[in-house]
Amino acid sequence: MSALALQRHSTLSHLDWLEAESIHILREVAGQCANPALLFSGGKDSLVLLRIAEKAFRPGRFPFPLLHIDTGHNYSEVIDFRDLRACQLNERLIVRSVEDSMRRGSVVLKSPGESRNKHQSVTLLEAIEEFGFDCCIGGARRDEEKARAKERIFSFRDEFGQWDPKNQRPELWDLYNARVHKGENIRAFPISNWTELDVWQYIERERLELPSIYFAHRRQVVRKGGLLQPVTDLTPACDDDLVEELSVRFRTVGDITCTAPVESAADTVARIIEETAATTITERGETRLDDQTSEASMEQRKKEGYF
């Protein structure tokens, strides 16, 4: 290695290393897979993925479309930002809705108020079959939840879209195997080794724009099961609920019925980084109402085809 290369090697930051690994993974997907798609919701992790895809493939177009599985109950700020970002990049955005699956009868809710979040698995598998995707690229990270920590960067799914934690391919020396038979597919997670703090530091470094609900704002909430539930048309307060108006932000965004904000005064990326560095609770542990019961365990949902 030359002296110049050694000097550059020693000055790379941890974000440079993470970014380089993620670019390598995206290019492996593009090189090995015939018809991949990048899952894009408008959330912070998928926005980081978009920036990495820009660095991996620009000035050319992405070698995959963007795909969002919409529950129909997402925050409008995030959906609007999703559409804006796809338009700015001039990339193809495919949206498939859980509501379409409900009309087809492939998703049947137990009650009108049931969260649609876990039913995204059905709509995703239908979209994979419709377009013949052999790989879906997602923004999941190992630090989010213990089931995600078990998963490889290239996660094999069988012909039923199911994940078997005991049937995973080795990834020695960062060698990835995306070979699948017809009907099987891979879920690839380029930022699997990132932490929530890494994501926010990268957002700061790259000056990425985000939906406004990631920053502190005033919102009416009620306290349920130790979490804050926003008061909305979909999640109204009950008669015996104490409605409070607090300064909150969202650490993660998803279906309104299961995504909780946290109390916060962090209205800038720098202040969010300070809060994130100090917290000892994972973002899903503090913000996801649907992760509070064994029925909705992440591992079980992933075995059924979830992201």
Side-chain angles (χ1 to χ4, degrees):
M1 186 180 293
S2 68
L4 182 61
L6 282 171
Q7 182 180 11
R8 183 176 184 277
H9 184 276
S10 64
T11 57
L12 290 175
S13 70
H14 80 286
L15 291 179
D16 293 326
W17 284 108
L18 289 170
E19 179 188 72
E21 177 189 53
S22 300
I23 289 172
H24 168 66
I25 292 166
L26 277 181
R27 288 174 174 168
E28 282 291 302
V29 170
Q32 294 192 45
C33 300
N35 188 23
L38 189 150
L39 299 172
F40 177 58
S41 65
K44 69 181 190 305
D45 298 311
S46 59
L47 286 164
V48 165
L49 270 184
L50 282 194
R51 174 51 56 88
I52 293 168
E54 287 184 83
K55 295 193 176 188
F57 303 113
R58 288 298 195 229
R61 297 285 299 276
F62 294 170
F64 38 67
L66 310 180
L67 172 65
H68 184 215
I69 305 302
D70 187 355
T71 65
H73 286 171
N74 294 89
Y75 289 94
S76 60
E77 299 97 321
V78 181
I79 295 300
D80 291 344
F81 197 88
R82 175 202 71 186
D83 295 342
L84 172 65
R85 195 71 189 101
C87 181
Q88 289 172 337
L89 290 171
N90 193 29
E91 294 292 345
R92 180 187 178 199
L93 172 64
I94 300 170
V95 179
R96 290 296 179 266
S97 174
V98 173
E99 292 180 340
D100 293 333
S101 299
M102 292 166 60
R103 282 190 285 270
R104 287 191 292 268
S106 51
V107 166
V108 179
L109 302 183
K110 295 178 181 177
S111 66
E114 182 189 0
S115 172
R116 300 176 180 182
N117 194 55
K118 66 179 181 179
H119 297 293
Q120 292 177 94
S121 305
V122 174
T123 309
L124 174 60
L125 294 177
E126 290 173 343
I128 289 172
E129 182 178 7
E130 177 185 355
F131 293 98
F133 294 131
D134 57 355
C135 180
C136 288
I137 306 161
R141 308 185 322 270
R142 289 195 176 109
D143 75 324
E144 288 182 84
E145 202 271 344
K146 60 184 179 181
R148 293 204 188 280
K150 294 182 180 181
E151 198 159 24
R152 302 285 165 81
I153 288 176
F154 273 34
S155 175
F156 172 75
R157 304 299 174 102
D158 64 21
E159 64 270 26
F160 301 105
Q162 296 178 327
W163 171 64
D164 180 358
K166 297 180 180 179
N167 182 26
Q168 298 189 79
R169 296 169 176 176
E171 293 180 344
L172 301 175
W173 306 293
D174 295 333
L175 296 175
Y176 306 112
N177 179 2
R179 184 177 299 173
V180 293
H181 295 106
K182 186 174 178 59
E184 300 170 341
N185 66 89
I186 294 290
R187 308 287 171 83
F189 303 111
I191 63 171
S192 184
N193 290 329
W194 296 46
T195 65
E196 183 185 9
L197 182 59
D198 294 329
V199 166
W200 281 108
Q201 289 175 330
Y202 190 77
I203 287 168
E204 181 181 51
R205 189 185 84 171
E206 299 295 310
R207 299 179 180 179
L208 298 183
E209 295 184 21
L210 295 169
S212 59
I213 64 174
Y214 277 112
F215 301 98
H217 56 283
R218 304 292 297 184
R219 186 180 290 265
Q220 288 190 332
V221 298
V222 296
R223 300 180 187 271
K224 289 185 180 292
L227 301 180
L228 300 179
Q229 179 175 295
V231 178
T232 70
D233 292 340
L234 291 171
T235 54
C238 299
D239 292 339
D240 57 347
D241 283 333
L242 174 63
V243 178
E244 304 174 71
E245 184 172 296
L246 303 176
S247 176
V248 299
R249 67 178 178 88
F250 287 81
R251 290 176 67 183
T252 182
V253 296
D255 190 289
I256 292 173
T257 63
C258 63
T259 307
V262 296
E263 284 193 72
S264 173
D267 54 1
T268 66
V269 172
R271 296 182 71 180
I272 291 174
I273 288 173
E274 291 179 6
E275 280 191 0
T276 304
T279 189
T280 58
I281 305 174
T282 66
E283 60 192 277
R284 293 194 72 93
E286 190 175 25
T287 67
R288 296 307 289 261
L289 294 161
D290 59 337
D291 283 351
Q292 305 305 307
T293 65
S294 59
E295 179 186 2
S297 72
M298 174 63 74
E299 184 162 331
Q300 181 58 38
R301 279 183 283 164
K302 289 178 76 65
K303 289 177 179 179
E304 295 170 354
Y306 193 70
F307 312 137

